[in-house]
Amino acid sequence: MSDTNWWFFDLAAVIAVTGVLTFGIVSGVIGPVRTVLAIPLVLVLPGYALVSALFPDKPNDDYQSFDTEKTGLGSPLLVSGGLEAIERTVLSIVFSVALVPAITLFAAVTPGGVTLEPILIGLSMLTVILALLAIGTRYRCPADRRFVPSVASISPFFTRDRPSPYDRVNNRPYNVAIAVGLVLLLASSGFALANPPQHDGFTELSVETKNVTGNIDTMYDSTYTAGASQELAVTITNQEHETQRYTTVVLLQRVSYEGDNVTVHESTALDKEAVTVADGESTRQPLEITPTMRGSELRLTVLLYEGDPPAEPTVDNAYRVARLPIEVE
């Protein structure tokens, strides 16, 4: 890898590894394997690609002399155009930590919300774009100053190959401390991405509406004919983190209103339907409404239950409730 023809090898590997890790996580792996796949994608690859784009040249020990006639200084200035291995490693992690929240904020405004898939896709696309940009900037760098990956250049620890301010001390404690810190940081952040916190489960119940115009009084069909069947469609959306079986019960109730108080004088069940909905899915459930009462002080009460309903379905024991005032002619 010391051959100058391999100057793009690390960035090509970044692109390839990003694709493999993304495919592995999207394919549905779970548990520790998912955490291991997420760690480099979260805390190494995006930052490394950005560091490579910003610093395409290698470290050097060139000295630049001062103009003694103008400054009166005779000591030369050490000029280092690139990054040492420890600097490149630390900055890769720091930049990755900074890029992940930015992608998360972007994911928050997408239809998918702050979930694993939008964040993962955003990180992967950003990493590939930065890696391609890094290839371009490194290509434009002079060949004799271009950073070329090697075993020594990617080691984040202090070595004896290059002089450093720490030559007179034992480097082993520093290496151990760096290794432990990196492992803890990578493991905790990878676990956080692979196992994002989930909100409490919930279920949405909504009534299918008709086209809204200025000539309608309600967004649903509110006029029925006694003894005539009519369809009422509801939509059930499952966000309970697991597949659920629901039962919908429709009651026709005669009510009276006194301020904010509602009194139910008569109630009869019109229909009952069961359906199974997968997590994250919505289903349309048609209900058959055949009114047996007449009048204007009537309402349809749609009760949704998880599993089977009790012997006497009421508003108090239902999981979700929808109330629809109607008139039966």
Side-chain angles (χ1 to χ4, degrees):
M1 290 181 60
S2 60
D3 191 338
T4 55
N5 293 330
W6 290 92
W7 58 266
F8 58 89
F9 179 84
D10 57 330
L11 297 173
V14 166
I15 296 175
V17 172
T18 298
V20 172
L21 295 180
T22 303
F23 176 79
I25 297 176
V26 171
S27 63
V29 295
I30 59 176
V33 176
R34 191 182 195 185
T35 302
V36 171
L37 294 178
I39 286 176
L41 191 59
V42 174
L43 281 186
V44 178
L45 299 180
Y48 183 83
L50 179 57
V51 170
S52 299
L54 296 176
F55 303 97
D57 47 353
K58 62 183 179 181
N60 62 80
D61 295 332
D62 295 340
Y63 285 85
Q64 176 180 335
S65 299
F66 288 103
D67 188 340
T68 56
E69 294 182 359
K70 293 183 179 181
T71 63
L73 301 175
S75 300
L77 174 66
L78 177 63
V79 178
S80 178
L83 297 176
E84 297 288 350
I86 184 64
E87 297 170 326
R88 191 173 292 271
T89 301
V90 171
L91 282 180
S92 296
I93 297 175
V94 171
F95 285 164
S96 294
V97 171
L99 290 173
V100 171
I103 295 297
T104 303
L105 290 176
F106 177 78
V109 300
T110 63
V114 185
T115 57
L116 179 62
E117 286 75 15
I119 296 176
L120 180 64
I121 294 174
L123 274 177
S124 302
M125 293 179 59
L126 180 62
T127 301
V128 172
I129 292 173
L130 291 175
L132 293 175
L133 179 62
I135 292 176
T137 58
R138 194 179 291 179
Y139 175 78
R140 297 183 61 182
C141 187
D144 59 334
R145 298 182 58 87
R146 181 183 297 151
F147 172 77
V148 179
S150 64
V151 175
S153 67
I154 62 177
S155 173
F157 308 122
F158 301 111
T159 66
R160 301 181 183 273
D161 296 335
R162 292 179 58 86
S164 79
Y166 303 97
D167 283 344
R168 297 182 180 179
V169 298
N170 182 11
N171 294 327
R172 181 172 298 177
Y174 296 98
N175 293 343
V176 172
I178 293 174
V180 172
L182 291 177
V183 169
L184 292 177
L185 180 61
L186 294 174
S188 60
S189 300
F191 180 82
L193 180 69
N195 301 273
Q198 293 183 332
H199 54 71
D200 294 335
F202 64 93
T203 297
E204 295 179 355
L205 173 66
S206 60
V207 177
E208 187 176 275
T209 60
K210 55 187 178 182
N211 294 331
V212 178
T213 66
N215 299 322
I216 64 173
D217 297 326
T218 61
M219 298 177 64
Y220 59 92
D221 291 329
S222 60
T223 303
Y224 290 79
T225 301
S229 298
Q230 190 169 329
E231 180 182 284
L232 173 68
V234 298
T235 300
I236 303 171
T237 303
N238 177 15
Q239 299 289 351
E240 302 286 352
H241 309 309
E242 60 182 0
T243 301
Q244 292 284 345
R245 179 177 177 273
Y246 298 98
T247 302
T248 306
V249 178
V250 183
L251 303 179
L252 176 62
Q253 298 177 327
R254 188 180 299 279
V255 297
S256 62
Y257 301 91
E258 295 180 3
D260 296 333
N261 297 323
V262 180
T263 302
V264 178
H265 301 284
E266 186 179 356
S267 180
T268 182
L270 298 182
D271 196 9
K272 180 175 70 172
E273 298 291 340
V275 66
T276 299
V277 185
D279 177 42
E281 300 293 331
S282 297
T283 187
R284 180 181 182 273
Q285 187 178 53
L287 302 169
E288 184 177 351
I289 307 299
T290 307
T292 56
M293 309 177 192
R294 290 185 175 87
S296 58
E297 297 295 321
L298 300 174
R299 74 178 185 188
L300 294 175
T301 302
V302 183
L303 308 177
L304 183 67
Y305 294 89
E306 292 181 307
D308 296 324
E312 295 184 5
T314 65
V315 171
D316 295 331
N317 57 31
Y319 182 45
R320 292 289 183 267
V321 179
R323 301 174 179 86
L324 308 173
I326 64 171
E327 180 179 354
V328 180
E329 300 173 346

